[in-house]
Amino acid sequence: MDDGVQQFMQSLAELETEAENLLLARDQAVENDKVRNGNREALTALRKMARTTRTSVTAPFESIMKEVGRPGANPLVKEVCATCGNHDSDERTWMMFPGTDVFAGVPFHAAHTILETDQERLDYEAKKLQSYVKEKSFLISEKGALADKISPGLLRALVTLTDRPK
């Protein structure tokens, strides 16, 4: 084969690999967003159960200062959870664990703590995926020499092409 054709085939294979990685990352970002939205809805439902919002529960310092002036106040330090508020944190709440079909009755405080840490992890993964998609998009656009020779429709067709046995 001619060197020019060989080089074109090599660059086309690289571009196809990068485009496939880009499409996979976009699909993963969509799935991640679905899980994040479900988590957010669950946290909102728990806050409604506890009748709190993110800003309605006083800070621990404010609750300590209210307790100091009262005679007979036992604890000087009272931990206040921003989600639980005055809600009974030992109340059992049904929760389905991610990736399983198992329901478990867990304490209210544990349920929202699990969801909040999972939400933070999902937010981090979403940002990581967004930067990956941005990087791959930039890399594909940098290979502008191929953009003149290959249309976007043909590129998508090449990425979705599968080998089927005859």
Side-chain angles (χ1 to χ4, degrees):
M1 249 192 261
D2 188 73
D3 286 340
V5 173
Q6 188 72 16
Q7 185 179 10
F8 177 73
M9 287 178 59
Q10 178 69 26
S11 58
L12 183 63
E14 289 174 8
L15 184 65
E16 181 181 353
T17 303
E18 296 299 330
E20 190 170 333
N21 289 338
L22 174 68
L23 291 176
L24 287 173
R26 282 185 180 170
D27 288 343
Q28 182 64 37
V30 168
E31 292 299 318
N32 191 7
D33 281 342
K34 288 179 184 177
V35 174
R36 281 176 53 209
N37 284 338
N39 247 9
R40 183 183 47 77
E41 290 170 2
L43 282 169
T44 302
L46 289 177
R47 284 192 186 101
K48 283 183 179 180
M49 262 178 72
R51 291 186 176 88
T52 61
T53 62
R54 269 184 191 232
T55 57
S56 69
V57 177
T58 58
F61 180 74
E62 292 172 15
S63 64
I64 292 169
M65 294 312 290
K66 287 179 183 176
E67 300 281 332
V68 169
R70 295 185 188 163
N74 293 338
L76 281 179
V77 178
K78 180 181 178 185
E79 185 177 333
V80 177
C81 176
T83 303
C84 292
N86 293 331
H87 189 75
D88 181 18
S89 61
D90 291 330
E91 176 188 328
R92 293 291 184 181
T93 304
W94 288 100
M95 181 177 171
M96 186 170 105
F97 290 101
T100 64
D101 293 334
V102 177
F103 280 95
V106 295
F108 184 85
H109 185 71
H112 80 77
T113 303
I114 290 169
L115 287 172
E116 286 170 352
T117 55
D118 196 35
Q119 189 74 6
E120 290 172 7
R121 180 186 58 80
L122 289 169
D123 288 340
Y124 174 74
E125 286 180 12
K127 288 179 183 175
K128 194 165 74 169
L129 279 171
Q130 286 172 354
S131 65
Y132 183 79
V133 166
K134 191 175 188 179
E135 175 188 334
K136 290 296 176 188
S137 298
F138 181 71
L139 188 72
I140 290 172
S141 69
E142 282 291 306
K143 298 185 180 200
L146 287 177
D148 296 338
K149 299 174 186 174
I150 301 172
S151 69
L154 179 61
L155 179 61
R156 182 173 286 279
L158 288 173
V159 169
T160 59
L161 186 65
T162 57
D163 293 332
R164 294 191 180 141
K166 292 182 179 182

